[in-house]
Amino acid sequence: MSDPPLRADARRNRARILAAAAEVFDAHGTSASTEEVARTAGVAIGTVFRHFPTKADLLTALMKDLQGRLAARAAALAEEGDGTALFTFFAEVVEYAAGARTVVHLLAVDVGVDRQVAALGTAVEVLLARAGEAGTVRAGVRADEVTALLAAACHGALAAGWTPDLRHRTVARLLDGLRP
Amino acid sequence: MSDPPLRADARRNRARILAAAAEVFDAHGTSASTEEVARTAGVAIGTVFRHFPTKADLLTALMKDLQGRLAARAAALAEEGDGTALFTFFAEVVEYAAGARTVVHLLAVDVGVDRQVAALGTAVEVLLARAGEAGTVRAGVRADEVTALLAAACHGALAAGWTPDLRHRTVARLLDGLRP
DNA sequence: CTAAATTATGAGTCACCACTCATCTTGTCA
DNA sequence: TGACAAGATGAGTGGTGACTCATAATTTAG
């Protein structure tokens, strides 16, 4: 049930590996090799596989972290919340995704979507409800549509090489479709 | 300058390979192996590489074909053209992309984008101009934004597993952002 | 400080894939 | 039809990447 506590060096290495994985996968995509993660972390390849028996396990750990940060940001925005929080969140995520390829991995099917996108979806639902109360969003817009648009924008911004300018204009157009 | 004409069997095999490649890459993405293409075409692997010295060459041939068909469809729609041709084209491409992974490859950076997306971009420009004349599109919308939205929608529809229903609603929202 | 247990190391294994080439087959043309 | 060139074949090559495991190095408890 409870795991024996990690040795000091093991804790340190685990943290290093996660940081390196975020850096490498953000830069080169999730197809980057595990060996490059190990090299970046300053650790032997075996150590990576001791902590994360599978590359997928490593990815999952990263995704959990990322999804937690996104949900927290959404919650914070909902707190301050005038009706524009949804739009702010949307734009921020796309902006972040433009420089971090892991985000689209979170929004894609391959990862354990069920939980992860569900949780992100909840965040979007809350923001959408706030916007609905404030009347800043068109009637009839559903949360899954917003999440879908968010995923599309992130994928597009990364896969096709949008310039910052094009990215901003495109997101603006996209959000226009949600306004009354 | 001019190539000596192909032998009969060579012509037949070339056609089979292209058809098989379209089928395989549409179904499993461009990362599917060349050997599977050969198997599907009923041809030895060496034959594939005789016709297309590189996997990239095979992809390029497919992309040229696809891009030609899309441009032709856009032209046909512009012909009939009331102001809704742009919207029809947009929806059709996304619908097609939902079942054919090669489309997003065409819209992504990796392929020789410069030419290809440029040609697709031209088609979009024409349709956008028609829509502008008819007043069915919001003022200030630029062609590159429409192309970007199209790419985003195609990527999203494929990468995140949108249901047909969600896909239709999402595209509708997206197009709403373009209307006056 | 020492022993036992945990962790780190990195060369090696296995599978996959793009691509090659010596050899065999088939189409073409006189 | 016969002969030659164009094309087809598929086992083989080289390279990469996920993952393993025997051995070495650290940590920690007593």
Side-chain angles (χ1 to χ4, degrees):
Chain A
M1 207 81 234
S2 62
D3 345 302
L6 286 178
R7 238 168 59 177
D9 55 344
R11 255 199 317 281
R12 193 175 56 237
N13 281 339
R14 192 189 156 89
R16 276 185 190 165
I17 290 166
L18 279 173
E23 180 184 333
V24 170
F25 292 145
D26 272 348
H28 308 306
T30 57
S31 62
S33 72
T34 311
E35 182 157 350
E36 178 153 2
V37 172
R39 208 178 311 127
T40 305
V43 138
I45 183 110
T47 305
V48 175
F49 281 99
R50 159 168 273 269
H51 285 279
F52 305 95
T54 278
K55 186 180 179 178
D57 291 331
L58 178 54
L59 259 317
T60 301
L62 280 180
M63 292 305 108
K64 270 193 184 133
D65 191 57
L66 174 58
Q67 114 88 32
R69 291 203 318 268
L70 289 182
R73 179 62 183 147
L77 282 172
E79 199 77 13
E80 312 172 1
D82 43 345
T84 66
L86 175 66
F87 301 99
T88 307
F89 180 68
F90 195 112
E92 280 185 9
V93 172
V94 176
E95 212 56 26
Y96 179 61
R101 308 186 85 87
T102 49
V103 177
V104 311
H105 198 258
L106 174 66
L107 292 166
V109 224
D110 359 305
V111 211
V113 194
D114 310 316
R115 297 285 160 66
Q116 318 222 350
V117 162
L120 226 196
T122 305
V124 169
E125 270 170 32
V126 172
L127 289 173
L128 181 59
R130 283 276 181 290
E133 293 161 12
T136 54
V137 83
R138 187 178 297 214
V141 172
R142 296 197 218 160
D144 62 349
E145 295 162 10
V146 177
T147 308
L149 287 174
L150 181 56
C154 291
H155 274 95
L158 256 187
W162 296 355
T163 63
D165 176 55
L166 177 56
R167 187 170 69 236
H168 297 148
R169 285 186 285 128
T170 303
V171 169
R173 290 287 169 223
L174 235 150
L175 294 180
D176 280 348
L178 300 178
R179 294 206 167 84
Chain B
M1 208 79 235
S2 62
D3 344 300
L6 285 180
R7 239 169 57 177
D9 55 344
R11 254 199 316 281
R12 194 173 56 237
N13 281 339
R14 191 189 156 88
R16 277 185 188 165
I17 290 167
L18 278 172
E23 180 185 332
V24 169
F25 292 145
D26 273 348
H28 308 305
T30 56
S31 63
S33 72
T34 312
E35 183 158 349
E36 178 152 3
V37 173
R39 209 180 309 129
T40 304
V43 137
I45 181 101
T47 304
V48 176
F49 281 99
R50 160 169 272 269
H51 285 279
F52 305 96
T54 278
K55 186 179 180 179
D57 292 332
L58 178 53
L59 260 315
T60 301
L62 281 180
M63 292 305 107
K64 269 193 185 133
D65 191 58
L66 174 58
Q67 115 88 34
R69 291 202 318 269
L70 289 183
R73 178 62 183 147
L77 281 172
E79 200 77 14
E80 312 171 2
D82 44 344
T84 66
L86 175 66
F87 300 99
T88 306
F89 179 70
F90 196 111
E92 280 185 9
V93 172
V94 176
E95 212 57 27
Y96 179 62
R101 309 186 83 89
T102 49
V103 177
V104 311
H105 198 258
L106 174 65
L107 293 166
V109 225
D110 359 305
V111 209
V113 195
D114 310 315
R115 297 286 161 65
Q116 318 224 351
V117 161
L120 227 196
T122 305
V124 169
E125 270 171 31
V126 172
L127 289 172
L128 180 61
R130 285 275 182 291
E133 293 161 11
T136 54
V137 83
R138 188 179 295 214
V141 173
R142 297 199 219 159
D144 61 349
E145 294 163 9
V146 177
T147 306
L149 288 174
L150 182 56
C154 290
H155 275 95
L158 255 188
W162 296 354
T163 63
D165 177 55
L166 177 57
R167 188 171 66 237
H168 298 147
R169 285 187 283 128
T170 302
V171 169
R173 290 286 168 224
L174 231 149
L175 294 179
D176 280 349
L178 300 177
R179 295 205 166 85

